[in-house]
Structures are given as C-alpha cells and as structure tokens.
Amino acid sequence: MAVFLLAGCATRAPVASDESVARSGQVGMREISGAFAQAQRMTLADNESFLVPLEDEANPSPAYPTALLAQQLPSQAVCVRVAIDEAGTVMSSTPAVQPPECPALDAADTAFFDAVAHAVAQWHYEPGLRCVFPDAKTKEQTVGSCGGYREIPQAVSLTYRFVFEQKDGRGSVRMSQ
C-alpha cells in the first residue's frame, strides 16, 4: 500500500527544444503534492523524520504530442499523481483533478495525459526514507539525512502539474505557478 506524502514545491528545468524542427512543443512542470489533500498521510513519531524521494536527473520530460501541433491548441494543464514504491520505481500514474489549477481531462487532454504517463513510467527516484532516531533531540540535531540511524524506505505519491503550450506556431515552455 502506498503511503501518501504532502511534499513542498520543487521545480525541474524543462528540456530545450530541437531548433531544427519547424514546429515543436515543449513542456513545463512543477511538483504540487502539497496542493492536494490526501486520504492517507504518513504519521511520524517525535523521533522520526522523512526524506522526500529524489528524482533521477535522467528522468525524461513528456513530449508535446506531434499530432496536436497543427491544431495550435491553447495552453493545456495536465496534473498527474505518481505512485512510487519503496525502491524508487514508479508503480502507476493517474490523472489528478483539482480545478482550476488541475482541470478534468477532456478529449484533447487525453493525448497530453498519455504523453505524461509515457514519460513518468520511465522515471526513477532515490527512495523516500523514514528516518528513525533514538529520540527527538537526536532528530533535531540531524537535518537533511538519517545520520546513520535507521532508514526505512517508504512508498509515496507525488503530484505534478505539466503545462503544454505553443506560441506563434512554435512550442514553448512555461513553468506553472
């Protein structure tokens, strides 16, 4: 069973476009787990802390669906909840809906979600860790790591918002706010 985590915002740099292609699309993304209430949350004891899973820098960004470039669609936001197992492997991705920032998917959005799902299925993370310290004071003295104390890998869920857009017939990136 996946344990859900409400994480702070993080950003990831978009991939540069291929300038040799006359029409291209790019994607901006932002991790927005904190904006979503979760049915299940990890509860930490006073002597425990949590280290958020770290994305592998080689994780691919979604590609703008080539078949949609000619339609010159307005900006499209797609939010996805990514379930990550204890080893840091993506188990699944599902649409996340919370209007207005994360609208429900319509017919055109399905192609965008498919592009996101294809990319995140290839993602890998350093696992999230529950750190167990001998006492709360030791926990407070150890920031940003488990400090050699007990590390328990945790399955978690993170939510991301991707923005697909074009400007003047060319793809562009806009990091969502």
Side-chain angles (χ1 to χ4, degrees):
M1 173 172 69
V3 176
F4 295 100
L5 166 71
L6 296 179
C9 292
T11 59
R12 180 175 158 183
V15 180
S17 66
D18 180 355
E19 292 298 324
S20 66
V21 179
R23 301 186 81 155
S24 63
Q26 294 184 344
V27 181
M29 70 173 250
R30 178 171 58 101
E31 192 269 318
I32 59 166
S33 301
F36 284 79
Q38 302 291 345
Q40 299 175 337
R41 287 192 60 172
M42 180 183 307
T43 303
L44 297 173
D46 290 344
N47 67 323
E48 296 179 329
S49 67
F50 183 77
L51 298 177
V52 178
L54 299 175
E55 290 181 39
D56 186 320
E57 290 183 11
N59 286 348
S61 293
Y64 195 107
T66 306
L68 298 180
L69 285 169
Q71 295 179 29
Q72 297 183 350
L73 298 169
S75 295
Q76 302 286 316
V78 174
C79 297
V80 61
R81 183 169 291 120
V82 179
I84 305 158
D85 69 14
E86 293 88 351
T89 302
V90 172
M91 296 184 296
S92 66
S93 60
T94 56
V97 177
Q98 184 172 344
E101 191 169 84
C102 295
L105 299 176
D106 64 21
D109 295 333
T110 302
F112 291 114
F113 177 77
D114 290 346
V116 169
H118 176 74
V120 301
Q122 301 170 63
W123 286 7
H124 197 271
Y125 294 80
E126 287 186 30
L129 296 173
R130 179 189 302 237
C131 303
V132 182
F133 301 95
D135 52 53
K137 183 177 179 180
T138 304
K139 172 189 139 182
E140 290 175 15
Q141 295 171 344
T142 310
V143 179
S145 75
C146 290
Y149 294 97
R150 187 170 172 211
E151 297 178 353
I152 305 170
Q154 298 287 277
V156 299
S157 174
L158 298 175
T159 303
Y160 293 87
R161 181 173 191 260
F162 296 86
V163 176
F164 295 79
E165 67 182 357
Q166 294 182 39
K167 291 182 182 175
D168 301 323
R170 296 193 57 89
S172 65
V173 175
R174 180 177 58 82
M175 295 306 287
S176 60
Q177 299 296 324

